[in-house]
Amino acid sequence: MVRVIAARPTLRHALIWSFVGRLPLGVTTLALFFGTQATTGSLETASTVSAAAMIGMAAGAPLQGQLLDRFAKPVVIVCFTVLQVATFVALAVAVNGGSATWTLAVLALCQGMTIPSLPSCTRLVLKRAVSAGEVDAAFALDTTLMEVIYVSGPAIAAGVTATWGPQGLFLGCAVLVAAGTIFFVRVTGARWLGPDPGQAERAPDKEDLRPRPHDSRHWLPAGGFVLAMALLAAPFGLIECALTQFGTEQGTGLSLTGLILSVTGLGSIAGGLAYGTVRWRTGPARRFVVLVLGQGAAITVVAVLPSLGVVWTGLTLAALCTVPLASICFHMLDLLSPPGIWMRMQSWGAVANTGGHAAGVTLGGYIATAYGSGATFALVGLCAFLAIMAAMPALLNPSVRRPEPAKVGAHAE
């Protein structure tokens, strides 16, 4: 897949500029936290501002998805980019001027609501630019790039904030978003961001079992699968809390937590690259179940035998499933999404990821404090089981059960 994209200049440039425009996604929340804490000296204020940004992300994504489905996508995404840049500039001024908590929280809320939907648009471009048999591998590559952003984000946020201050980081984010989005739109244009986002460049045939708009029979599988995605995102927050508590129990503090999270982040990138190179002969539904069960089983072993060696091994094995699972989730959501509301469904997938992670952190903090790291790790295994139950209507849908078509090469440039 990497070779296919590298050989096609237009698609390669689209991915590069999309990566540039999405870099702030890995640093913005941390920048808000670090910047607010550094200027106000209050962790409570910093947490409030960061939470406001996450609420804004959850509220703004569906709205933007609906606009992208109804109007010209290049126009919508550029408008949101202008608003995002203006918000970053306002945040830089507000943080530098020591504004009140409510001012920072409102700006953070606006920042979350105006994030350009580059991840969904990038998946749409990949979906239309490659052959049907290569969509899964293309999504895996894109998800791997997102994991690179999230793994490198904390180091970038901390380094830039320490060197140029939070205002420098916000202004840098404004430049990256503006440059990345504008050049992404310029490269892709109406060719890959045209109307009918639910229609892949696949010829419809009598076996096309994709859902149709306003057909209530198809909302249960799609809605259930969004819930399953939220349940699969919750373990990220749970594991952070469980590792923090485990470090306290082992007497190593946060140093062990940071080290394990860094190593597992690299493991998830490796898993994504490996997943994208395999030619799978099974349908997405079966792969989804195997990956969920594999990840859940690895964490459950950690809950039963919470020794240092088991924690390292179990979390590393679980990390190998992270990017493949995220990739296949968006691929299945693609197959389940009715034409005409494709972007909206992708945005709800993003909301599920954000909301699930936030719920995991909230619940994990309580469980870890009250019952210890073992109980928190065990909750991750429960989330895996519940996710499969929630996804069952989707897993029984014929459109996600049949194997991928043969890879016949990408469409001509």
Side-chain angles (χ1 to χ4, degrees):
M1 192 69 243
V2 176
R3 289 195 299 269
V4 170
I5 291 177
R8 305 181 63 203
T10 302
L11 188 54
R12 183 177 69 246
H13 294 158
L15 274 181
I16 290 173
W17 286 115
S18 172
F19 181 83
V20 170
R22 287 183 289 177
L23 268 176
L25 293 175
V27 304
T28 302
T29 304
L30 291 170
L32 289 167
F33 186 87
F34 291 155
T36 306
Q37 197 278 331
T39 54
T40 66
S42 170
L43 286 175
E44 182 180 355
T45 300
S47 299
T48 300
V49 171
S50 298
M54 296 183 72
I55 293 172
M57 292 169 61
L63 171 62
Q64 187 175 174
Q66 186 170 3
L67 293 174
L68 287 166
D69 281 328
R70 295 185 60 184
F71 303 104
K73 293 172 191 57
V75 174
V76 172
I77 199 172
V78 168
C79 288
F80 271 81
T81 299
V82 172
L83 294 174
Q84 178 80 165
V85 169
T87 305
F88 273 131
V89 173
L91 276 169
V93 174
V95 170
N96 192 47
S99 299
T101 300
W102 71 267
T103 302
L104 295 173
V106 169
L107 289 175
L109 182 70
C110 294
Q111 186 277 322
M113 293 187 68
T114 58
I115 295 174
S117 190
L118 272 177
S120 297
C121 288
T122 302
R123 285 191 291 272
L124 179 62
V125 168
L126 290 172
K127 173 186 171 72
R128 292 178 163 184
V130 303
S131 63
E134 293 172 325
V135 171
D136 194 31
F139 279 18
L141 174 61
D142 183 62
T143 307
T144 303
L145 292 176
M146 283 299 299
E147 187 68 10
V148 170
I149 290 173
Y150 287 121
V151 169
S152 61
I156 295 174
V160 174
T161 301
T163 305
W164 290 290
Q167 62 272 18
L169 184 57
F170 288 135
L171 293 175
C173 287
V175 173
L176 290 174
V177 169
T181 306
I182 290 173
F183 282 102
F184 172 80
V185 170
R186 182 178 180 182
V187 169
T188 57
R191 177 184 182 185
W192 286 328
L193 290 178
D196 298 325
Q199 302 286 350
E201 291 189 358
R202 313 169 197 172
D205 54 38
K206 62 182 180 180
E207 295 185 357
D208 186 4
L209 301 174
R210 294 170 61 83
R212 297 290 181 261
H214 312 302
D215 188 343
S216 60
R217 293 174 301 170
H218 297 292
W219 286 104
L220 178 60
F225 194 72
V226 169
L227 174 59
M229 292 178 67
L231 288 167
L232 292 174
F236 292 105
L238 291 170
I239 289 173
E240 291 172 7
C241 296
L243 280 176
T244 302
Q245 180 63 26
F246 181 75
T248 301
E249 295 167 357
Q250 297 290 315
T252 58
L254 292 176
S255 58
L256 177 65
T257 302
L259 181 59
I260 293 179
L261 289 175
S262 298
V263 172
T264 54
L266 295 175
S268 63
I269 294 172
L273 292 174
Y275 176 82
T277 62
V278 176
R279 181 175 178 176
W280 299 100
R281 299 183 182 276
T282 58
R286 183 172 298 180
R287 276 177 277 150
F288 172 84
V289 173
V290 170
L291 287 168
V292 172
L293 291 178
Q295 190 175 65
I299 303 298
T300 301
V301 172
V302 173
V304 176
L305 301 170
S307 65
L308 188 57
V310 174
V311 167
W312 273 105
T313 304
L315 291 182
T316 301
L317 292 175
L320 295 174
C321 302
T322 299
V323 169
L325 188 53
S327 169
I328 207 167
C329 279
F330 278 108
H331 187 199
M332 288 179 63
L333 192 61
D334 158 40
L335 296 172
L336 293 165
S337 298
I341 59 168
W342 192 90
M343 298 297 298
R344 218 175 311 174
M345 293 305 300
Q346 291 286 308
S347 69
W348 277 111
V351 170
N353 284 338
T354 302
H357 191 166
V361 171
T362 303
L363 182 60
Y366 170 77
I367 297 295
T369 302
Y371 302 102
S373 61
T376 314
F377 283 127
L379 194 56
V380 174
L382 178 61
C383 285
F385 173 77
L386 294 176
I388 291 179
M389 294 297 100
M392 193 58 67
L395 297 174
L396 296 176
N397 190 295
S399 65
V400 300
R401 294 179 63 185
R402 55 187 178 181
E404 299 295 329
K407 297 183 180 181
V408 295
H411 295 172
E413 189 63 64

